[in-house]
């Protein structure tokens, strides 16, 4: 079945540690996105990519990094510079801009 | 002012009720509009796109008023399974950046 797969579902980070969240899609979508959701709040865009080997910062990119080496994959690294990383992280993809986005089932990141 | 604003609710309604949500957006250049549904601790799922002429999908009707910059969602004959948070979403550039409202929580009671 086509879809977006995020892993792991739950992730715990120690202080000063970098962690990488995986996002893979087999929908043949060009565009991929990373969002962060905090309790009781809307989604905020971290990074997005419209094409392989290219990506742009969203509204809250500080403390995060991404890569887009393959069309299917858009991993997100939460670096030690992100001081408040505890949140629900959602990856999404779409055919092109202005089209609806389809989401993976998310990764919950917590600090140990 | 937030780019997309929704009444957070919660809206508590009995089964069978009709409920309407409104959403306002600040950027007049907005081009695409959507309603997403998010269940507790789950990912958002596309409920429906919103077209200028208004559109209906079963018990759900979405309308867009560009002049007043608001979007609405009407749910008729509410079911228990409609309980969720409804997210209003707009997009206004080719990059596909979506702007999410904070969501309106709906709770349908027996």
């Amino acid at each position: 079945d086509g879809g977006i797969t995020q892993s792991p579902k739950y992730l715990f980070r120690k202080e000063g540690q970098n962690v990488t969240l995986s996002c893979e899609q087999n929908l043949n979508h060009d565009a991929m996105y990373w969002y962060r959701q905090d309790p009781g709040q809307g989604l905020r865009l971290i990074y997005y990519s419209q094409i392989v080997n290219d990506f742009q910062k969203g509204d809250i990119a500080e403390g995060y990094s991404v890569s887009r080496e393959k069309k299917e994959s858009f991993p997100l690294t939460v670096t030690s510079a992100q001081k408040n990383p505890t949140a629900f992280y959602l990856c999404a993809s779409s055919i092109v801009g202005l089209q609806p986005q389809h989401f993976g089932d998310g990764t919950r990141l917590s600090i140990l | 002012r937030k780019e997309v604003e929704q009444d957070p609710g919660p809206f508590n309604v009995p089964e069978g009720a009709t409920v309407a949500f409104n959403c306002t957006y600040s950027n007049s250049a907005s081009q695409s509009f959507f309603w997403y549904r998010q269940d507790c601790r789950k990912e958002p799922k596309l409920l429906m796109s919103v077209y200028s002429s208004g559109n209906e999908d079963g018990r759900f009707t979405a309308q867009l008023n560009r002049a007043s910059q608001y979007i609405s969602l009407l749910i008729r004959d509410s079911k228990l399974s409609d309980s969720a948070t409804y997210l209003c979403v707009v997009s206004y550039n080719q990059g596909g950046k979506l702007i999410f409202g904070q969501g309106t929580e709906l709770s349908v009671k027996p």
Side-chain angles (χ1 to χ4, degrees):
Chain A
D1 287 349
I4 302 172
T5 302
Q6 289 188 242
S7 62
K9 197 171 182 70
Y10 299 94
L11 184 59
F12 298 91
R13 194 191 90 168
K14 294 180 181 179
E15 294 284 347
Q17 187 181 46
N18 293 355
V19 292
T20 297
L21 284 59
S22 170
C23 178
E24 304 277 333
Q25 55 98 359
N26 60 6
L27 299 167
N28 200 32
H29 285 173
D30 287 307
M32 296 187 75
Y33 310 83
W34 274 106
Y35 294 90
R36 168 183 173 140
Q37 187 175 35
D38 293 281
Q41 297 191 32
L43 279 68
R44 293 183 291 168
L45 183 65
I46 304 172
Y47 269 98
Y48 65 103
S49 168
Q50 299 179 70
I51 196 169
V52 174
N53 291 323
D54 188 43
F55 48 83
Q56 286 78 40
K57 292 181 179 180
D59 299 317
I60 54 165
E62 185 174 350
Y64 301 97
S65 66
V66 294
S67 63
R68 186 86 186 277
E69 297 176 2
K70 298 186 300 181
K71 186 176 183 177
E72 303 80 21
S73 179
F74 192 40
L76 174 74
T77 296
V78 183
T79 74
S80 57
Q82 173 48 247
K83 298 306 179 187
N84 185 23
T86 298
F88 187 37
Y89 289 87
L90 289 156
C91 178
S93 70
S94 67
I95 298 172
V96 292
L98 298 180
Q99 298 299 314
Q101 294 175 13
H102 301 272
F103 286 83
D105 58 6
T107 294
R108 293 195 179 276
L109 175 63
S110 301
I111 292 294
L112 286 176
Chain B
R1 182 186 174 189
K2 292 180 182 177
E3 290 186 83
V4 178
E5 291 202 68
Q6 298 181 248
D7 182 340
F11 283 50
N12 297 305
V13 303
E15 267 188 297
T18 295
V19 59
F21 305 137
N22 288 328
C23 163
T24 57
Y25 60 94
S26 60
N27 192 325
S28 60
S30 297
Q31 295 176 270
S32 296
F33 308 89
F34 311 99
W35 283 102
Y36 279 75
R37 170 194 168 126
Q38 186 173 25
D39 293 292
C40 187
R41 300 179 68 80
K42 298 286 188 182
E43 76 276 19
K45 292 185 178 178
L46 179 67
L47 180 64
M48 57 197 304
S49 300
V50 186
Y51 303 117
S52 297
S53 55
N55 48 300
E56 187 175 304
D57 183 2
R59 297 182 292 109
F60 298 85
T61 300
Q63 294 199 316
L64 168 64
N65 185 318
R66 285 187 184 272
S68 301
Q69 295 181 203
Y70 82 77
I71 309 154
S72 65
L73 177 68
L74 182 77
I75 305 175
R76 292 182 298 277
D77 188 24
S78 299
K79 312 292 185 189
L80 296 176
S81 58
D82 293 333
S83 296
T85 296
Y86 291 83
L87 304 171
C88 174
V89 185
V90 306
S91 181
Y92 54 81
N93 62 47
Q94 293 296 332
K97 177 180 174 180
L98 296 185
I99 312 297
F100 286 78
Q102 69 180 98
T104 297
E105 183 182 347
L106 171 65
S107 179
V108 182
K109 306 291 188 184

